[in-house]
Amino acid sequence: MTQHTTQRTIGPFKVNAIGLGCMNLSHAYGVPPGPEEAKALLLRALDLGVDLFDTAALYGFGANETLVGQVLKPHRQRFTLASKCGMTGVDGKRVIDGRPATLKATCDEALQRLQTDVIDLYYLHRRDFNVPIEDSVGALADLVSAGKIRAIGLSEVSGETIRKAHAVHPVSAVQNEYSLWSREAEIGVVEACREVGATLVAFSPLARAFLCGELTDPQTQLTEKDIRLGMPRFSAENYAKNLQLLTPYKAIAAEVGCTPAQLALAWIMAAQPKAVSIPGTRSISHLEDNMGALKVQLSADVVEKLNQLINNKTVAGPRYPAATQKEIDTEQFAA
């Protein structure tokens, strides 16, 4: 049996191997839940032992940071707070801007919305290809010196970018999409994180709900403005192919004695023993199910069986449309 502990290290912080991504309480997956429903989920997460909450200036164009600040301020000492800069809403549109002055202004605004004196972990949400990464990270280093943030992270970056950034200031975390069906981090990021001592933080570890096993027809089950409807893997043609992976995947979950979602999260804990996953959800029952993965341990045989079943060669479609992919710094598999 592959042994794992449930504690992880991110820079100076100790957190559980499963945190909470707060994005879909305000952003990207159709109409967000009401404030009371969102509040109940955040507080239930605390009760279940979630001690890493991840938000960003982009999510709801500030609304998510405001929500997290309002609900969790009384409990600030109980968790590690992560947010992001470098991609925000400007005049109702998403804009990538890694200029130092912009990052510092975004941080000041975030501190107000989050109702805190310091953000524990602050990520550059996307690399701005018009700004040297050293300049963007230099601005984050200034924020550390000013006592406004405690640790620096990067998101959706390559191994080369991680090394360049780390030469300016220690990088504590790298947040990239990572799951059984999104393995790009294995090309260069995992090794770069090992070299510099950064923790891999996996967003969308449940493959945007695919690995939960309940999303069988995105075209009818997803609501208008859900970003998945524009993602190639969720097109009618590609999703029909990807669904063929679910039956054997669910069979493995049944053999292990866990839910499909728990299997996906347990795979990350086994495959990357130092990584942290931050699944997002609007459902308290899904939240409870996710946290149950902390008790699931996988044998090396099960890990290998999963690796063979779902990987970059067996999944149909790239993870982003071409226009979005141009904004992403992470290495890609050859077509």
Side-chain angles (χ1 to χ4, degrees):
M1 191 71 70
T2 300
Q3 295 295 319
H4 67 79
T5 63
T6 61
Q7 285 287 298
R8 300 288 186 266
T9 299
I10 300 179
F13 310 108
K14 296 285 188 182
V15 299
N16 276 321
I18 301 175
L20 181 68
C22 300
M23 180 183 79
N24 56 1
L25 296 177
S26 308
H27 189 83
Y29 290 131
V31 179
E36 289 305 312
E37 187 180 349
K39 177 180 179 180
L41 187 133
L42 290 172
L43 293 178
R44 181 60 179 145
L46 268 183
D47 290 342
L48 290 169
V50 171
D51 54 7
L52 173 64
F53 289 83
D54 183 276
T55 181
L58 177 71
Y59 303 159
F61 294 177
N64 197 249
E65 287 181 328
T66 298
L67 168 69
V68 169
Q70 289 175 343
V71 175
L72 297 182
K73 180 183 178 181
H75 313 283
R76 183 65 182 87
Q77 301 307 312
R78 294 173 58 185
F79 64 91
T80 297
L81 175 62
S83 194
K84 309 179 198 73
C85 60
M87 185 160 63
T88 56
V90 179
D91 297 329
K93 295 182 179 180
R94 180 177 62 84
V95 173
I96 295 175
D97 186 347
R99 292 175 296 176
T102 301
L103 303 185
K104 292 177 180 180
T106 303
C107 181
D108 287 340
E109 295 164 358
L111 288 167
Q112 291 186 348
R113 288 191 291 259
L114 291 164
Q115 299 188 41
T116 187
D117 295 329
V118 62
I119 299 169
D120 297 318
L121 175 61
Y122 206 43
Y123 293 94
L124 181 68
H125 204 158
R126 288 291 184 274
R127 178 183 172 186
D128 182 346
F129 290 105
N130 296 313
V131 178
I133 189 65
E134 293 87 350
D135 292 356
S136 295
V137 174
L140 298 182
D142 289 344
L143 291 171
V144 173
S145 297
K148 295 181 179 181
I149 69 175
R150 291 194 171 106
I152 290 174
L154 304 173
S155 180
E156 286 281 31
V157 291
S158 65
E160 180 184 5
T161 297
I162 293 167
R163 294 180 182 95
K164 287 181 178 179
H166 188 74
V168 176
H169 186 281
V171 174
S172 295
V174 176
Q175 183 176 140
N176 279 26
E177 183 172 358
Y178 186 63
S179 68
L180 274 164
W181 88 340
S182 290
R183 310 284 280 273
E184 285 80 1
E186 295 174 358
I187 303 173
V189 168
V190 170
E191 174 59 23
C193 285
R194 186 195 65 77
E195 286 180 22
V196 306
T199 301
L200 175 65
V201 177
F203 77 80
S204 296
L206 301 176
R208 302 183 188 274
F210 172 75
L211 292 172
C212 299
E214 300 170 2
L215 185 61
T216 56
D217 185 359
Q219 307 307 311
T220 59
Q221 287 177 262
L222 300 182
T223 59
E224 186 182 1
K225 295 185 178 180
D226 191 306
I227 60 170
R228 289 171 289 185
L229 291 173
M231 293 180 168
R233 290 179 181 174
F234 291 88
S235 71
E237 179 181 359
N238 284 331
Y239 207 75
K241 297 175 182 177
N242 291 328
L243 275 178
Q244 296 176 25
L245 301 171
L246 272 187
T247 298
Y249 175 75
K250 288 181 176 179
I252 295 173
E255 291 174 19
V256 172
C258 66
T259 67
Q262 289 171 349
L263 183 63
L265 296 169
W267 173 82
I268 291 178
M269 287 188 284
Q272 304 294 339
K274 295 183 178 181
V276 176
S277 297
I278 49 168
T281 184
R282 302 174 180 182
S283 162
I284 287 180
S285 63
H286 288 170
L287 171 69
E288 293 169 345
D289 184 41
N290 292 344
M291 295 306 290
L294 292 171
K295 299 178 181 178
V296 178
Q297 295 195 43
L298 304 182
S299 68
D301 288 345
V302 169
V303 172
E304 181 56 27
K305 192 183 297 185
L306 290 168
N307 285 337
Q308 293 298 321
L309 177 64
I310 303 178
N311 57 63
N312 62 293
K313 294 181 180 178
T314 62
V315 173
R319 65 188 183 109
Y320 285 128
T324 304
Q325 189 60 53
K326 291 178 181 178
E327 303 172 345
I328 304 299
D329 185 43
T330 309
E331 294 92 347
Q332 300 178 60
F333 290 106

